[in-house]
mmCIF file of all heavy atoms in Angstrom:
data_model
loop_
_atom_site.group_PDB
_atom_site.id
_atom_site.type_symbol
_atom_site.label_atom_id
_atom_site.label_comp_id
_atom_site.label_asym_id
_atom_site.label_seq_id
_atom_site.Cartn_x
_atom_site.Cartn_y
_atom_site.Cartn_z
ATOM 1 N N GLY A 1258 81.971 49.021 -113.959
ATOM 2 C CA GLY A 1258 80.675 49.606 -113.596
ATOM 3 C C GLY A 1258 80.225 49.316 -112.174
ATOM 4 O O GLY A 1258 79.038 49.421 -111.872
ATOM 5 N N TYR A 1259 81.164 48.943 -111.302
ATOM 6 C CA TYR A 1259 80.834 48.732 -109.887
ATOM 7 C C TYR A 1259 81.496 49.831 -109.055
ATOM 8 O O TYR A 1259 82.592 50.298 -109.412
ATOM 9 C CB TYR A 1259 81.397 47.390 -109.389
ATOM 10 C CG TYR A 1259 80.764 46.138 -109.930
ATOM 11 C CD1 TYR A 1259 81.524 44.963 -109.988
ATOM 12 C CD2 TYR A 1259 79.442 46.094 -110.346
ATOM 13 C CE1 TYR A 1259 80.970 43.783 -110.461
ATOM 14 C CE2 TYR A 1259 78.890 44.914 -110.823
ATOM 15 C CZ TYR A 1259 79.659 43.771 -110.879
ATOM 16 O OH TYR A 1259 79.128 42.608 -111.343
ATOM 17 N N PRO A 1260 80.904 50.193 -107.907
ATOM 18 C CA PRO A 1260 81.565 51.164 -107.038
ATOM 19 C C PRO A 1260 82.804 50.552 -106.374
ATOM 20 O O PRO A 1260 82.846 49.337 -106.120
ATOM 21 C CB PRO A 1260 80.490 51.494 -105.988
ATOM 22 C CG PRO A 1260 79.512 50.380 -106.055
ATOM 23 C CD PRO A 1260 79.574 49.784 -107.426
ATOM 24 N N ALA A 1261 83.783 51.402 -106.094
ATOM 25 C CA ALA A 1261 85.075 50.928 -105.589
ATOM 26 C C ALA A 1261 84.961 50.253 -104.218
ATOM 27 O O ALA A 1261 85.739 49.359 -103.898
ATOM 28 C CB ALA A 1261 86.059 52.095 -105.514
ATOM 29 N N HIS A 1262 83.963 50.647 -103.419
ATOM 30 C CA HIS A 1262 83.881 50.102 -102.045
ATOM 31 C C HIS A 1262 83.279 48.696 -102.010
ATOM 32 O O HIS A 1262 83.256 48.046 -100.981
ATOM 33 C CB HIS A 1262 83.045 51.035 -101.148
ATOM 34 C CG HIS A 1262 81.632 51.187 -101.618
ATOM 35 N ND1 HIS A 1262 80.665 50.219 -101.414
ATOM 36 C CD2 HIS A 1262 81.035 52.183 -102.319
ATOM 37 C CE1 HIS A 1262 79.537 50.625 -101.961
ATOM 38 N NE2 HIS A 1262 79.727 51.803 -102.520
ATOM 39 N N LEU A 1263 82.824 48.226 -103.169
ATOM 40 C CA LEU A 1263 82.101 46.955 -103.207
ATOM 41 C C LEU A 1263 83.012 45.757 -102.914
ATOM 42 O O LEU A 1263 84.138 45.698 -103.401
ATOM 43 C CB LEU A 1263 81.513 46.787 -104.612
ATOM 44 C CG LEU A 1263 80.403 45.797 -104.802
ATOM 45 C CD1 LEU A 1263 79.101 46.391 -104.272
ATOM 46 C CD2 LEU A 1263 80.248 45.498 -106.294
ATOM 47 N N GLU A 1264 82.462 44.832 -102.129
ATOM 48 C CA GLU A 1264 83.186 43.571 -101.929
ATOM 49 C C GLU A 1264 82.581 42.539 -102.882
ATOM 50 O O GLU A 1264 81.359 42.444 -102.998
ATOM 51 C CB GLU A 1264 83.029 43.116 -100.484
ATOM 52 C CG GLU A 1264 83.920 41.928 -100.163
ATOM 53 C CD GLU A 1264 83.699 41.419 -98.743
ATOM 54 O OE1 GLU A 1264 82.581 40.962 -98.439
ATOM 55 O OE2 GLU A 1264 84.651 41.487 -97.957
ATOM 56 N N ALA A 1265 83.439 41.805 -103.583
ATOM 57 C CA ALA A 1265 82.917 40.832 -104.551
ATOM 58 C C ALA A 1265 83.738 39.552 -104.500
ATOM 59 O O ALA A 1265 84.939 39.577 -104.227
ATOM 60 C CB ALA A 1265 82.947 41.427 -105.953
ATOM 61 N N ARG A 1266 83.047 38.445 -104.802
ATOM 62 C CA ARG A 1266 83.744 37.159 -104.891
ATOM 63 C C ARG A 1266 84.286 36.994 -106.306
ATOM 64 O O ARG A 1266 83.600 37.332 -107.287
ATOM 65 C CB ARG A 1266 82.779 36.015 -104.574
ATOM 66 C CG ARG A 1266 82.561 35.818 -103.067
ATOM 67 C CD ARG A 1266 81.447 34.837 -102.800
ATOM 68 N NE ARG A 1266 80.197 35.333 -103.362
ATOM 69 C CZ ARG A 1266 79.316 34.586 -103.998
ATOM 70 N NH1 ARG A 1266 79.518 33.300 -104.156
ATOM 71 N NH2 ARG A 1266 78.212 35.113 -104.492
ATOM 72 N N VAL A 1267 85.486 36.455 -106.407
ATOM 73 C CA VAL A 1267 86.102 36.269 -107.725
ATOM 74 C C VAL A 1267 86.334 34.776 -107.940
ATOM 75 O O VAL A 1267 86.862 34.088 -107.061
ATOM 76 C CB VAL A 1267 87.435 37.061 -107.811
ATOM 77 C CG1 VAL A 1267 88.171 36.732 -109.104
ATOM 78 C CG2 VAL A 1267 87.166 38.561 -107.716
ATOM 79 N N ARG A 1268 85.905 34.296 -109.095
ATOM 80 C CA ARG A 1268 86.113 32.878 -109.436
ATOM 81 C C ARG A 1268 86.913 32.781 -110.724
ATOM 82 O O ARG A 1268 86.568 33.415 -111.725
ATOM 83 C CB ARG A 1268 84.761 32.184 -109.616
ATOM 84 C CG ARG A 1268 84.895 30.716 -109.988
ATOM 85 C CD ARG A 1268 83.552 30.012 -110.006
ATOM 86 N NE ARG A 1268 83.682 28.657 -110.541
ATOM 87 C CZ ARG A 1268 84.076 27.605 -109.828
ATOM 88 N NH1 ARG A 1268 84.363 27.737 -108.545
ATOM 89 N NH2 ARG A 1268 84.180 26.408 -110.382
ATOM 90 N N ASP A 1269 87.964 31.966 -110.695
ATOM 91 C CA ASP A 1269 88.791 31.728 -111.884
ATOM 92 C C ASP A 1269 88.138 30.611 -112.711
ATOM 93 O O ASP A 1269 87.961 29.490 -112.225
ATOM 94 C CB ASP A 1269 90.206 31.320 -111.442
ATOM 95 C CG ASP A 1269 91.140 31.175 -112.625
ATOM 96 O OD1 ASP A 1269 90.785 30.462 -113.589
ATOM 97 O OD2 ASP A 1269 92.225 31.771 -112.590
ATOM 98 N N LEU A 1270 87.794 30.935 -113.970
ATOM 99 C CA LEU A 1270 87.021 29.965 -114.765
ATOM 100 C C LEU A 1270 87.891 28.856 -115.358
ATOM 101 O O LEU A 1270 87.394 27.766 -115.611
ATOM 102 C CB LEU A 1270 86.270 30.681 -115.882
ATOM 103 C CG LEU A 1270 85.296 31.779 -115.446
ATOM 104 C CD1 LEU A 1270 84.455 32.238 -116.625
ATOM 105 C CD2 LEU A 1270 84.403 31.325 -114.304
ATOM 106 N N TRP A 1271 89.153 29.098 -115.607
ATOM 107 C CA TRP A 1271 89.995 28.029 -116.153
ATOM 108 C C TRP A 1271 90.520 27.105 -115.053
ATOM 109 O O TRP A 1271 90.691 25.915 -115.271
ATOM 110 C CB TRP A 1271 91.136 28.599 -117.009
ATOM 111 C CG TRP A 1271 90.618 29.151 -118.304
ATOM 112 C CD1 TRP A 1271 90.529 30.464 -118.658
ATOM 113 C CD2 TRP A 1271 90.070 28.400 -119.411
ATOM 114 N NE1 TRP A 1271 89.964 30.582 -119.911
ATOM 115 C CE2 TRP A 1271 89.670 29.333 -120.396
ATOM 116 C CE3 TRP A 1271 89.865 27.042 -119.672
ATOM 117 C CZ2 TRP A 1271 89.094 28.964 -121.613
ATOM 118 C CZ3 TRP A 1271 89.291 26.664 -120.880
ATOM 119 C CH2 TRP A 1271 88.913 27.615 -121.835
ATOM 120 N N GLN A 1272 90.741 27.685 -113.867
ATOM 121 C CA GLN A 1272 91.134 26.822 -112.736
ATOM 122 C C GLN A 1272 89.912 26.230 -112.048
ATOM 123 O O GLN A 1272 90.051 25.395 -111.166
ATOM 124 C CB GLN A 1272 91.904 27.626 -111.696
ATOM 125 C CG GLN A 1272 93.260 28.119 -112.145
ATOM 126 C CD GLN A 1272 93.993 28.771 -110.978
ATOM 127 O OE1 GLN A 1272 94.254 28.132 -109.957
ATOM 128 N NE2 GLN A 1272 94.277 30.052 -111.108
#
Side-chain angles (χ1 to χ4, degrees):
Y1259 291 153
H1262 61 77
L1263 198 77
E1264 188 184 63
R1266 280 171 299 139
V1267 173
R1268 179 173 172 82
D1269 185 309
L1270 302 190
W1271 288 109
Q1272 293 186 60

